[in-house]
Amino acid sequence: MEYPIEGACQCGNVHYQLLAKPLMVVACHCKECQKLSTSAFSITAIVKAEDVVFEGEMKEWRRPAESGNISGAMFCPTCGNRLYHFNPADMSTLKLKPSNLSNTDLIQPTVHAWVSEKQDWYTIPEGVKTFDKQP
């Protein structure tokens, strides 16, 4: 895959470039991610903060995580698309929502998290690392 890869929110008011390969791609099955994605799980690409460049106005939303950390989210105020999540105590990595990239070939989860809250009808592929909760 060639980098950078362009990405944008649904309405196009926020654009970004992913400059390098993600550290990992995770499918999260927690109830919060099910609400976020309105599906069985949410896909997240863990990236170094320095490897992504954003342009455009974003708004922030935060909630407490089970770990005691804060789960922050940045989203487009016009269309509502989430662009990434973050932990304000550690801004070295971002949890990019990669479904809005122009090339989505990197969306191949190697880890499934929060499988303790997974929808019963979904079967995790063989050979993929799983965690009952947050890794």
Side-chain angles (χ1 to χ4, degrees):
M1 181 166 301
E2 292 186 32
Y3 293 88
I5 302 173
E6 304 288 326
C9 65
Q10 209 168 1
C11 72
N13 285 338
V14 178
H15 292 266
Y16 67 95
Q17 285 189 325
L18 178 60
L19 306 176
K21 180 180 177 179
L23 301 171
M24 77 170 76
V25 178
V26 179
C28 183
H29 297 265
C30 77
K31 296 299 182 188
E32 293 299 323
C33 280
Q34 289 179 36
K35 289 178 187 178
L36 162 67
S37 66
T38 68
S39 186
F41 54 86
S42 176
I43 302 291
T44 298
I46 310 298
V47 299
K48 293 179 185 175
E50 64 196 36
D51 289 343
V52 63
V53 179
F54 293 95
E55 282 185 32
E57 178 190 0
M58 291 187 277
K59 291 217 172 184
E60 182 178 326
W61 178 77
R62 293 181 180 200
R63 69 171 176 81
E66 183 182 89
S67 65
N69 292 330
I70 298 296
S71 178
M74 297 302 287
F75 64 94
C76 172
T78 303
C79 67
N81 262 165
R82 298 260 178 115
L83 282 298
Y84 67 93
H85 289 191
F86 64 96
N87 175 353
D90 179 7
M91 295 296 291
S92 63
T93 59
L94 301 177
K95 299 171 186 175
L96 187 69
K97 301 317 242 172
S99 296
N100 49 30
L101 286 167
S102 60
N103 181 343
T104 55
D105 289 348
L106 67 82
I107 303 177
Q108 297 178 24
T110 56
V111 173
H112 283 253
W114 283 92
V115 296
S116 59
E117 296 185 358
K118 174 182 88 56
Q119 293 292 319
D120 289 338
W121 55 264
Y122 180 76
T123 303
I124 295 172
E126 285 188 41
V128 176
K129 194 179 290 187
T130 63
F131 294 91
D132 279 345
K133 292 191 174 192
Q134 192 69 23

